[in-house]
Each structure stands twice: as C-alpha cells, then as structure tokens.
Amino acid sequence: EAENNFSVVLKILPIDNPSLKHAVTSLISVISSTLKGVEYLTHGGDMSIVRAVIKILKACETGSVTQRFCIAILQKCSIKETVIPTLIESNLVFWVLDLLNDSLTKKVHVFCLDFSSALLANIMHSPHTTSFLENNPDIARRVLENMLNLIRSNVPVSVLMHILISISYFSKDNFAKLLEELRFVD
C-alpha cells in the first residue's frame, strides 16, 4: 500500500543495536528494489526513511554489510528526482567521494565502490544537482577536482565508468570556465 505508515521502522532505525540495524536495512533494501517500493518509502515526499538510512550509513564501519545495504538503498532511491535534494543536503556527494578516495589507500568492499559510484552518477544526473552546483561554484570545483583526481587513480573499471558519467554532467556551458580552469581537456 502506498501509505506513509512506517512509524515502526522509524522507531527501530535509531536503536543502537547492530543486528537490528542489519535486519531493518536488509528489509528496506528489498523494498527499494522496485520503483513501487521506492515510491512507498518516499510517499508524499516524506524523506524520513532516506534520512534515517543516511544517518546509519555515516555511522557504519566501512565495508560492513549494513553499510552495503544502506548504499544500495540510497542508490536505488536516487532514481527518484524528489530524493536528490535530501542526498545533496546530507552531503552524500562528498561522502561518496571520500569513500572512493579512501579506497585508494585501504581495502573497501567492491560492492560499496560500485554502488556508491552509481549513486554519485545518479545524483550528478539530476537537474537539482546541476542547479545547486551552478549556484555554488566552490562546491562544484571541489567535486570536479575530486572526480578528476579519481580518474587518474587506480579505481575499478565500474567506478571509473560512473565517475566519467558524473563528469559528463559538467559539460554544460555554465561549467565551461571551471572546466578550463581545471584543465579538463588536458
């Protein structure tokens, strides 16, 4: 049913019990596997579940199964345009870029890399993100610099593909000066 009635889930998510977080994020991941499920989780523009998942994600140990569930949930929910502002406000772009950069010096589960870079590509694809970056040139510069540095590094091919897709959204005229300054063509 497309009713916003996840008060039980919202009461369970903040409980500090790793096994419970694992179980609940597993369930939410299954629900978010279809567009109808994503619509259920975000019914009426309610981003409570998305925000709770982000909070859990940021507290998770890198590579943990719960972290993988959280990344998968957010990646699957990011196909819905109404979710993107919440992801931007929660600083998910830089969280993903930090994770990808961390993977250059320490072991990060390949699932986390694949799904987080796909999440990044979905966020960057959004008109909301383009508008946000146009209005925040310093943030746009940091994002693009991070992505350009990553393509020069030894990242898995799937991650490289998602980063290149993400960079392609900077090809608009509004970012021409930034691309020139960062010597993108070089």
Side-chain angles (χ1 to χ4, degrees):
E1 295 293 318
E3 295 175 13
N4 187 352
N5 190 7
F6 10 82
S7 59
V8 172
V9 174
L10 288 170
K11 288 178 183 173
I12 292 173
L13 282 170
I15 296 173
D16 192 19
N17 181 313
S19 297
L20 190 56
K21 284 190 191 319
H22 171 95
V24 173
T25 56
S26 169
L27 175 63
I28 295 169
S29 182
V30 170
I31 293 169
S32 67
S33 294
T34 66
L35 181 56
K36 195 170 188 167
V38 172
E39 289 172 356
Y40 170 77
L41 293 172
T42 60
H43 181 70
D46 186 345
M47 297 297 145
S48 301
I49 295 282
V50 172
R51 284 188 187 92
V53 168
I54 291 168
K55 188 173 181 178
I56 292 169
L57 171 69
K58 290 182 175 183
C60 282
E61 181 182 330
T62 299
S64 68
V65 177
T66 301
Q67 183 187 57
R68 286 181 250 164
F69 282 135
C70 291
I71 292 171
I73 292 163
L74 296 173
Q75 189 275 330
K76 292 180 276 189
C77 287
S78 69
I79 64 165
K80 197 159 185 217
E81 180 67 29
T82 56
V83 174
I84 301 300
T86 302
L87 302 178
I88 294 286
E89 291 163 13
S90 300
N91 212 19
L92 253 289
V93 170
F94 286 109
W95 185 91
V96 169
L97 290 170
D98 288 345
L99 179 70
L100 297 175
N101 279 307
D102 287 349
S103 76
L104 301 174
T105 57
K106 63 183 179 183
K107 182 94 171 111
V108 176
H109 197 283
V110 70
F111 181 94
C112 295
L113 299 176
D114 287 347
F115 272 73
S116 65
S117 61
L119 169 62
L120 178 64
N122 287 351
I123 294 170
M124 297 305 294
H125 175 71
S126 166
H128 177 83
T129 304
T130 301
S131 176
F132 174 80
L133 293 173
E134 288 171 352
N135 293 321
N136 294 281
D138 291 341
I139 294 173
R141 172 181 286 280
R142 283 181 41 217
V143 169
L144 187 56
E145 281 175 330
N146 265 278
M147 289 192 289
L148 290 172
N149 288 334
L150 282 166
I151 64 171
R152 295 180 190 112
S153 304
N154 189 23
V155 293
V157 173
S158 59
V159 173
L160 179 60
M161 177 186 72
H162 291 132
I163 293 170
L164 290 171
I165 290 168
S166 297
I167 290 172
S168 75
Y169 298 119
F170 280 94
S171 64
K172 300 182 186 230
D173 289 339
N174 300 359
F175 297 111
K177 183 180 176 193
L178 177 60
L179 292 170
E180 186 179 328
E181 288 173 9
L182 294 177
R183 301 178 53 178
F184 172 72
V185 175
D186 296 344

